[in-house]
Amino acid sequence: MQFLPVLRRGGAPLHLWIGRTYVAGCLVGGAAGLVLAAGSHAGPIASTGFGVGGAAWIATTLLGWRAATQGRLAEHRRWMIRSWALTLAAVTLRLYLPLVAILDLPFIPAYRAISFLAWAPNLLLAEVWLRRRGR
């Protein structure tokens, strides 16, 4: 809903309150992700993948929030598109996990790969979309 122009016009209060809630959720989720990444049973590769994803989620969200508070709205939109792509990592992970079982892949090596594949392609697609849209 946040990407609908009608909700953003003139600093609409609904957009502001949904945005504040989203930022708070991303910060809590990102911090929890960092804590959980450190304890991954799949080893340091998975810890790194999930940790970098969580740190990127926090960073993009904070950069987007800061741009909004400073009135740099075009920059805000770009950062929040990146943040949303990272938010969807939880969905992407849950799409990959059944594939591991369906393809009968060894779980731990696949999970290590998924720790990066859950968020990196999402972020890459967001970047490609932003660059094409910026032309």
Side-chain angles (χ1 to χ4, degrees):
M1 286 182 9
Q2 287 295 79
F3 296 115
L4 297 174
V6 69
L7 287 179
R8 297 189 317 254
R9 286 195 188 107
L14 183 59
H15 178 79
L16 295 173
W17 282 105
I18 292 172
R20 289 174 182 145
T21 304
Y22 173 79
V23 168
C26 289
L27 296 178
V28 170
L34 290 173
V35 171
L36 292 172
S40 174
H41 294 300
I45 294 171
S47 291
T48 301
F50 289 127
V52 171
W57 191 20
I58 291 169
T60 56
T61 303
L62 287 176
L63 288 165
W65 171 75
R66 188 177 80 180
T69 61
Q70 294 175 346
R72 300 186 324 265
L73 299 183
E75 185 180 339
H76 163 68
R77 283 185 209 106
R78 295 176 68 83
W79 281 115
M80 296 318 282
I81 287 168
R82 293 176 184 111
S83 173
W84 182 246
L86 291 165
T87 298
L88 291 177
V91 175
T92 306
L93 178 135
R94 282 157 183 85
L95 294 173
Y96 285 136
L97 288 177
L99 288 177
V100 172
I102 291 167
L103 298 173
D104 197 29
L105 299 172
F107 183 76
I108 294 298
Y111 194 69
R112 289 175 181 147
I114 288 170
S115 73
F116 289 91
L117 292 173
W119 61 268
N122 295 2
L123 190 55
L124 180 63
L125 287 172
E127 282 301 318
V128 168
W129 188 81
L130 286 169
R131 288 174 193 258
R132 286 190 177 167
R133 191 165 185 250
R135 290 183 185 160

Short mmCIF file of all heavy atoms in Angstrom, two decimals, residues 17-76:
data_model
loop_
_atom_site.label_atom_id
_atom_site.label_comp_id
_atom_site.label_asym_id
_atom_site.label_seq_id
_atom_site.Cartn_x
_atom_site.Cartn_y
_atom_site.Cartn_z
N TRP A 17 2.17 7.09 9.14
CA TRP A 17 2.02 6.15 10.25
C TRP A 17 2.32 4.71 9.83
O TRP A 17 2.96 3.96 10.59
CB TRP A 17 0.64 6.28 10.89
CG TRP A 17 0.60 7.47 11.78
CD1 TRP A 17 0.00 8.66 11.53
CD2 TRP A 17 1.28 7.60 13.03
NE1 TRP A 17 0.25 9.54 12.56
CE2 TRP A 17 1.03 8.91 13.50
CE3 TRP A 17 2.07 6.77 13.79
CZ2 TRP A 17 1.54 9.38 14.70
CZ3 TRP A 17 2.57 7.24 15.00
CH2 TRP A 17 2.31 8.53 15.43
N ILE A 18 1.91 4.35 8.63
CA ILE A 18 2.27 3.01 8.14
C ILE A 18 3.79 2.93 7.98
O ILE A 18 4.41 1.92 8.34
CB ILE A 18 1.56 2.69 6.80
CG1 ILE A 18 0.06 2.54 7.02
CG2 ILE A 18 2.14 1.42 6.17
CD1 ILE A 18 -0.75 2.41 5.74
N GLY A 19 4.39 3.99 7.48
CA GLY A 19 5.84 4.03 7.30
C GLY A 19 6.58 3.91 8.62
O GLY A 19 7.57 3.17 8.72
N ARG A 20 6.14 4.62 9.62
CA ARG A 20 6.78 4.52 10.94
C ARG A 20 6.67 3.11 11.50
O ARG A 20 7.63 2.58 12.09
CB ARG A 20 6.15 5.53 11.90
CG ARG A 20 6.49 6.96 11.58
CD ARG A 20 5.73 7.92 12.45
NE ARG A 20 6.07 9.29 12.07
CZ ARG A 20 5.21 10.30 12.09
NH1 ARG A 20 3.97 10.10 12.51
NH2 ARG A 20 5.60 11.50 11.73
N THR A 21 5.52 2.50 11.32
CA THR A 21 5.31 1.12 11.79
C THR A 21 6.22 0.17 11.02
O THR A 21 6.84 -0.73 11.60
CB THR A 21 3.83 0.72 11.64
OG1 THR A 21 3.03 1.67 12.35
CG2 THR A 21 3.58 -0.68 12.14
N TYR A 22 6.32 0.39 9.71
CA TYR A 22 7.19 -0.45 8.87
C TYR A 22 8.65 -0.33 9.31
O TYR A 22 9.35 -1.33 9.47
CB TYR A 22 7.04 -0.05 7.40
CG TYR A 22 8.02 -0.74 6.49
CD1 TYR A 22 7.80 -2.05 6.08
CD2 TYR A 22 9.16 -0.08 6.04
CE1 TYR A 22 8.71 -2.69 5.24
CE2 TYR A 22 10.07 -0.71 5.21
CZ TYR A 22 9.84 -2.02 4.81
OH TYR A 22 10.73 -2.64 4.00
N VAL A 23 9.12 0.90 9.53
CA VAL A 23 10.50 1.11 9.96
C VAL A 23 10.76 0.42 11.30
O VAL A 23 11.76 -0.28 11.47
CB VAL A 23 10.84 2.62 10.03
CG1 VAL A 23 12.16 2.86 10.75
CG2 VAL A 23 10.89 3.21 8.63
N ALA A 24 9.84 0.58 12.23
CA ALA A 24 10.01 -0.08 13.54
C ALA A 24 10.06 -1.59 13.36
O ALA A 24 10.92 -2.27 13.96
CB ALA A 24 8.87 0.31 14.48
N GLY A 25 9.18 -2.14 12.53
CA GLY A 25 9.18 -3.58 12.29
C GLY A 25 10.47 -4.07 11.64
O GLY A 25 11.01 -5.12 12.01
N CYS A 26 10.98 -3.29 10.68
CA CYS A 26 12.24 -3.67 10.02
C CYS A 26 13.41 -3.63 11.00
O CYS A 26 14.29 -4.49 10.96
CB CYS A 26 12.53 -2.74 8.84
SG CYS A 26 11.43 -2.99 7.44
N LEU A 27 13.43 -2.63 11.86
CA LEU A 27 14.53 -2.53 12.83
C LEU A 27 14.49 -3.68 13.83
O LEU A 27 15.52 -4.28 14.14
CB LEU A 27 14.50 -1.18 13.54
CG LEU A 27 14.73 0.04 12.63
CD1 LEU A 27 14.64 1.32 13.44
CD2 LEU A 27 16.06 -0.07 11.90
N VAL A 28 13.30 -4.01 14.31
CA VAL A 28 13.17 -5.15 15.23
C VAL A 28 13.51 -6.45 14.50
O VAL A 28 14.28 -7.28 15.00
CB VAL A 28 11.75 -5.20 15.85
CG1 VAL A 28 11.52 -6.50 16.60
CG2 VAL A 28 11.53 -4.00 16.76
N GLY A 29 12.95 -6.62 13.31
CA GLY A 29 13.22 -7.83 12.54
C GLY A 29 14.67 -7.97 12.15
O GLY A 29 15.25 -9.05 12.23
N GLY A 30 15.28 -6.85 11.73
CA GLY A 30 16.70 -6.89 11.36
C GLY A 30 17.59 -7.21 12.54
O GLY A 30 18.53 -8.02 12.43
N ALA A 31 17.30 -6.60 13.69
CA ALA A 31 18.09 -6.88 14.89
C ALA A 31 17.93 -8.34 15.31
O ALA A 31 18.91 -9.02 15.65
CB ALA A 31 17.67 -5.95 16.03
N ALA A 32 16.69 -8.85 15.26
CA ALA A 32 16.46 -10.26 15.60
C ALA A 32 17.19 -11.16 14.60
O ALA A 32 17.76 -12.19 14.98
CB ALA A 32 14.96 -10.56 15.60
N GLY A 33 17.17 -10.77 13.34
CA GLY A 33 17.87 -11.53 12.32
C GLY A 33 19.36 -11.61 12.58
O GLY A 33 19.99 -12.67 12.38
N LEU A 34 19.94 -10.52 13.03
CA LEU A 34 21.37 -10.51 13.35
C LEU A 34 21.68 -11.46 14.51
O LEU A 34 22.67 -12.20 14.48
CB LEU A 34 21.85 -9.10 13.67
CG LEU A 34 21.90 -8.13 12.49
CD1 LEU A 34 22.22 -6.72 12.98
CD2 LEU A 34 22.90 -8.58 11.45
N VAL A 35 20.82 -11.43 15.52
CA VAL A 35 21.02 -12.32 16.67
C VAL A 35 20.87 -13.78 16.24
O VAL A 35 21.71 -14.62 16.59
CB VAL A 35 20.02 -11.97 17.80
CG1 VAL A 35 20.05 -13.02 18.90
CG2 VAL A 35 20.32 -10.59 18.36
N LEU A 36 19.84 -14.07 15.47
CA LEU A 36 19.62 -15.45 15.02
C LEU A 36 20.71 -15.91 14.06
O LEU A 36 21.11 -17.08 14.09
CB LEU A 36 18.25 -15.58 14.36
CG LEU A 36 17.06 -15.42 15.30
CD1 LEU A 36 15.76 -15.39 14.51
CD2 LEU A 36 17.03 -16.54 16.33
N ALA A 37 21.20 -15.01 13.23
CA ALA A 37 22.27 -15.37 12.28
C ALA A 37 23.51 -15.85 13.01
O ALA A 37 24.16 -16.81 12.59
CB ALA A 37 22.61 -14.18 11.39
N ALA A 38 23.81 -15.20 14.11
CA ALA A 38 25.00 -15.57 14.87
C ALA A 38 24.92 -16.99 15.41
O ALA A 38 25.95 -17.63 15.62
CB ALA A 38 25.21 -14.58 16.02
N GLY A 39 23.72 -17.50 15.61
CA GLY A 39 23.57 -18.83 16.17
C GLY A 39 23.13 -19.89 15.17
O GLY A 39 22.64 -20.94 15.56
N SER A 40 23.33 -19.63 13.88
CA SER A 40 22.89 -20.59 12.87
C SER A 40 23.61 -21.93 13.03
O SER A 40 24.83 -21.99 13.13
CB SER A 40 23.16 -20.04 11.47
OG SER A 40 22.86 -21.02 10.50
N HIS A 41 22.84 -22.99 13.01
CA HIS A 41 23.40 -24.34 13.12
C HIS A 41 24.02 -24.80 11.80
O HIS A 41 24.63 -25.86 11.74
CB HIS A 41 22.33 -25.34 13.56
CG HIS A 41 21.85 -25.09 14.96
ND1 HIS A 41 22.68 -25.11 16.05
CD2 HIS A 41 20.62 -24.79 15.43
CE1 HIS A 41 21.98 -24.85 17.15
NE2 HIS A 41 20.73 -24.65 16.79
N ALA A 42 23.84 -24.00 10.75
CA ALA A 42 24.40 -24.36 9.45
C ALA A 42 25.81 -23.80 9.28
O ALA A 42 26.39 -23.92 8.20
CB ALA A 42 23.49 -23.87 8.34
N GLY A 43 26.36 -23.18 10.31
CA GLY A 43 27.75 -22.75 10.29
C GLY A 43 27.98 -21.31 9.88
O GLY A 43 27.03 -20.54 9.69
N PRO A 44 29.25 -20.94 9.75
CA PRO A 44 29.60 -19.54 9.52
C PRO A 44 29.16 -19.00 8.16
O PRO A 44 28.92 -17.79 8.03
CB PRO A 44 31.12 -19.51 9.65
CG PRO A 44 31.56 -20.93 9.47
CD PRO A 44 30.42 -21.78 9.93
N ILE A 45 29.04 -19.86 7.17
CA ILE A 45 28.58 -19.37 5.86
C ILE A 45 27.14 -18.89 5.97
O ILE A 45 26.80 -17.79 5.53
CB ILE A 45 28.73 -20.45 4.78
CG1 ILE A 45 30.21 -20.76 4.55
CG2 ILE A 45 28.07 -20.02 3.47
CD1 ILE A 45 30.47 -21.95 3.66
N ALA A 46 26.28 -19.70 6.56
CA ALA A 46 24.88 -19.31 6.75
C ALA A 46 24.78 -18.11 7.68
O ALA A 46 23.99 -17.19 7.43
CB ALA A 46 24.07 -20.48 7.29
N SER A 47 25.59 -18.09 8.72
CA SER A 47 25.58 -16.93 9.64
C SER A 47 25.93 -15.66 8.88
O SER A 47 25.30 -14.62 9.09
CB SER A 47 26.58 -17.15 10.78
OG SER A 47 26.14 -18.18 11.63
N THR A 48 26.92 -15.74 8.01
CA THR A 48 27.32 -14.57 7.23
C THR A 48 26.20 -14.14 6.29
O THR A 48 25.87 -12.95 6.20
CB THR A 48 28.61 -14.86 6.44
OG1 THR A 48 29.64 -15.21 7.37
CG2 THR A 48 29.03 -13.67 5.61
N GLY A 49 25.61 -15.10 5.57
CA GLY A 49 24.54 -14.77 4.64
C GLY A 49 23.37 -14.10 5.32
O GLY A 49 22.91 -13.04 4.88
N PHE A 50 22.89 -14.69 6.39
CA PHE A 50 21.75 -14.11 7.10
C PHE A 50 22.15 -12.79 7.79
O PHE A 50 21.36 -11.85 7.85
CB PHE A 50 21.18 -15.09 8.11
CG PHE A 50 20.46 -16.24 7.48
CD1 PHE A 50 20.79 -17.55 7.81
CD2 PHE A 50 19.45 -16.04 6.55
CE1 PHE A 50 20.13 -18.62 7.24
CE2 PHE A 50 18.78 -17.10 5.96
CZ PHE A 50 19.12 -18.40 6.31
N GLY A 51 23.37 -12.73 8.31
CA GLY A 51 23.83 -11.52 8.99
C GLY A 51 23.96 -10.33 8.03
O GLY A 51 23.52 -9.23 8.34
N VAL A 52 24.55 -10.57 6.87
CA VAL A 52 24.68 -9.49 5.88
C VAL A 52 23.29 -9.06 5.40
O VAL A 52 23.03 -7.86 5.25
CB VAL A 52 25.58 -9.92 4.71
CG1 VAL A 52 25.55 -8.90 3.57
CG2 VAL A 52 27.01 -10.13 5.18
N GLY A 53 22.41 -10.02 5.19
CA GLY A 53 21.04 -9.67 4.80
C GLY A 53 20.34 -8.83 5.85
O GLY A 53 19.70 -7.82 5.53
N GLY A 54 20.48 -9.21 7.12
CA GLY A 54 19.86 -8.43 8.21
C GLY A 54 20.46 -7.04 8.32
O GLY A 54 19.74 -6.06 8.51
N ALA A 55 21.77 -6.94 8.20
CA ALA A 55 22.43 -5.63 8.28
C ALA A 55 22.01 -4.74 7.10
O ALA A 55 21.76 -3.54 7.27
CB ALA A 55 23.95 -5.81 8.30
N ALA A 56 21.91 -5.33 5.91
CA ALA A 56 21.47 -4.56 4.73
C ALA A 56 20.03 -4.10 4.90
O ALA A 56 19.68 -2.97 4.51
CB ALA A 56 21.62 -5.41 3.47
N TRP A 57 19.20 -4.94 5.49
CA TRP A 57 17.79 -4.58 5.74
C TRP A 57 17.71 -3.38 6.68
O TRP A 57 16.99 -2.42 6.41
CB TRP A 57 17.08 -5.78 6.32
CG TRP A 57 15.59 -5.72 6.41
CD1 TRP A 57 14.74 -4.90 5.71
CD2 TRP A 57 14.77 -6.52 7.24
NE1 TRP A 57 13.45 -5.15 6.07
CE2 TRP A 57 13.43 -6.15 7.00
CE3 TRP A 57 15.03 -7.52 8.16
CZ2 TRP A 57 12.36 -6.75 7.67
CZ3 TRP A 57 13.96 -8.11 8.81
CH2 TRP A 57 12.63 -7.73 8.56
N ILE A 58 18.46 -3.42 7.75
CA ILE A 58 18.49 -2.30 8.69
C ILE A 58 19.03 -1.04 8.01
O ILE A 58 18.45 0.04 8.12
CB ILE A 58 19.34 -2.64 9.94
CG1 ILE A 58 18.63 -3.72 10.77
CG2 ILE A 58 19.62 -1.41 10.78
CD1 ILE A 58 19.50 -4.34 11.86
N ALA A 59 20.13 -1.18 7.29
CA ALA A 59 20.77 -0.02 6.66
C ALA A 59 19.87 0.64 5.62
O ALA A 59 19.72 1.87 5.63
CB ALA A 59 22.10 -0.44 6.03
N THR A 60 19.27 -0.16 4.73
CA THR A 60 18.43 0.43 3.69
C THR A 60 17.21 1.11 4.30
O THR A 60 16.80 2.19 3.84
CB THR A 60 17.99 -0.61 2.64
OG1 THR A 60 17.31 -1.68 3.30
CG2 THR A 60 19.16 -1.14 1.84
N THR A 61 16.66 0.50 5.33
CA THR A 61 15.48 1.09 5.98
C THR A 61 15.85 2.40 6.66
O THR A 61 15.13 3.41 6.52
CB THR A 61 14.90 0.09 7.00
OG1 THR A 61 14.57 -1.12 6.32
CG2 THR A 61 13.66 0.66 7.67
N LEU A 62 16.97 2.44 7.38
CA LEU A 62 17.37 3.68 8.05
C LEU A 62 17.73 4.78 7.04
O LEU A 62 17.40 5.95 7.25
CB LEU A 62 18.55 3.42 8.99
CG LEU A 62 18.21 2.68 10.27
CD1 LEU A 62 19.48 2.38 11.07
CD2 LEU A 62 17.21 3.46 11.12
N LEU A 63 18.39 4.39 5.95
CA LEU A 63 18.72 5.39 4.92
C LEU A 63 17.45 5.94 4.28
O LEU A 63 17.36 7.14 4.00
CB LEU A 63 19.65 4.79 3.87
CG LEU A 63 21.08 4.55 4.36
CD1 LEU A 63 21.84 3.63 3.40
CD2 LEU A 63 21.82 5.88 4.53
N GLY A 64 16.47 5.09 4.07
CA GLY A 64 15.19 5.55 3.52
C GLY A 64 14.45 6.46 4.48
O GLY A 64 13.90 7.49 4.09
N TRP A 65 14.43 6.08 5.75
CA TRP A 65 13.77 6.90 6.77
C TRP A 65 14.44 8.26 6.88
O TRP A 65 13.78 9.29 6.91
CB TRP A 65 13.81 6.16 8.11
CG TRP A 65 13.35 7.00 9.26
CD1 TRP A 65 12.08 7.34 9.57
CD2 TRP A 65 14.20 7.63 10.22
NE1 TRP A 65 12.07 8.14 10.69
CE2 TRP A 65 13.36 8.34 11.11
CE3 TRP A 65 15.57 7.68 10.43
CZ2 TRP A 65 13.86 9.08 12.16
CZ3 TRP A 65 16.06 8.40 11.49
CH2 TRP A 65 15.21 9.09 12.33
N ARG A 66 15.79 8.26 6.91
CA ARG A 66 16.53 9.52 7.01
C ARG A 66 16.27 10.42 5.82
O ARG A 66 16.05 11.62 5.97
CB ARG A 66 18.01 9.26 7.18
CG ARG A 66 18.79 10.56 7.48
CD ARG A 66 20.23 10.28 7.72
NE ARG A 66 20.86 10.13 6.41
CZ ARG A 66 22.13 9.88 6.22
NH1 ARG A 66 22.92 9.68 7.26
NH2 ARG A 66 22.63 9.79 5.03
N ALA A 67 16.25 9.85 4.63
CA ALA A 67 15.98 10.65 3.43
C ALA A 67 14.58 11.28 3.52
O ALA A 67 14.40 12.45 3.16
CB ALA A 67 16.11 9.79 2.18
N ALA A 68 13.61 10.53 4.02
CA ALA A 68 12.26 11.06 4.16
C ALA A 68 12.22 12.22 5.15
O ALA A 68 11.60 13.25 4.89
CB ALA A 68 11.29 9.97 4.58
N THR A 69 12.87 12.04 6.29
CA THR A 69 12.84 13.09 7.31
C THR A 69 13.57 14.35 6.86
O THR A 69 13.30 15.43 7.37
CB THR A 69 13.43 12.61 8.65
OG1 THR A 69 14.80 12.24 8.46
CG2 THR A 69 12.63 11.45 9.22
N GLN A 70 14.48 14.20 5.90
CA GLN A 70 15.21 15.36 5.37
C GLN A 70 14.57 15.91 4.10
O GLN A 70 15.12 16.80 3.47
CB GLN A 70 16.67 14.97 5.11
CG GLN A 70 17.41 14.66 6.40
CD GLN A 70 18.82 14.16 6.16
OE1 GLN A 70 19.21 13.78 5.05
NE2 GLN A 70 19.62 14.14 7.23
N GLY A 71 13.42 15.36 3.72
CA GLY A 71 12.68 15.87 2.57
C GLY A 71 13.22 15.43 1.21
O GLY A 71 12.79 15.96 0.20
N ARG A 72 14.11 14.48 1.19
CA ARG A 72 14.66 13.97 -0.07
C ARG A 72 13.80 12.78 -0.51
O ARG A 72 14.18 11.62 -0.36
CB ARG A 72 16.13 13.58 0.10
CG ARG A 72 17.01 14.75 0.53
CD ARG A 72 18.50 14.40 0.58
NE ARG A 72 18.82 13.05 1.01
CZ ARG A 72 19.12 12.70 2.26
NH1 ARG A 72 19.13 13.59 3.22
NH2 ARG A 72 19.42 11.44 2.55
N LEU A 73 12.62 13.10 -1.06
CA LEU A 73 11.61 12.07 -1.27
C LEU A 73 11.95 11.09 -2.39
O LEU A 73 11.63 9.91 -2.28
CB LEU A 73 10.25 12.73 -1.51
CG LEU A 73 9.76 13.59 -0.34
CD1 LEU A 73 8.37 14.13 -0.62
CD2 LEU A 73 9.77 12.81 0.96
N ALA A 74 12.59 11.54 -3.46
CA ALA A 74 12.97 10.61 -4.53
C ALA A 74 13.99 9.60 -4.00
O ALA A 74 13.88 8.40 -4.27
CB ALA A 74 13.54 11.37 -5.73
N GLU A 75 14.95 10.07 -3.21
CA GLU A 75 15.94 9.18 -2.61
C GLU A 75 15.26 8.23 -1.61
O GLU A 75 15.58 7.06 -1.53
CB GLU A 75 17.02 10.01 -1.92
CG GLU A 75 18.15 9.20 -1.37
CD GLU A 75 19.21 10.08 -0.70
OE1 GLU A 75 19.29 11.29 -0.99
OE2 GLU A 75 19.95 9.52 0.12
N HIS A 76 14.29 8.78 -0.84
CA HIS A 76 13.53 7.98 0.11
C HIS A 76 12.85 6.81 -0.60
O HIS A 76 12.94 5.66 -0.15
CB HIS A 76 12.49 8.87 0.79
CG HIS A 76 11.38 8.13 1.49
ND1 HIS A 76 11.59 7.38 2.60
CD2 HIS A 76 10.06 8.05 1.20
CE1 HIS A 76 10.43 6.85 3.00
NE2 HIS A 76 9.49 7.24 2.15
#
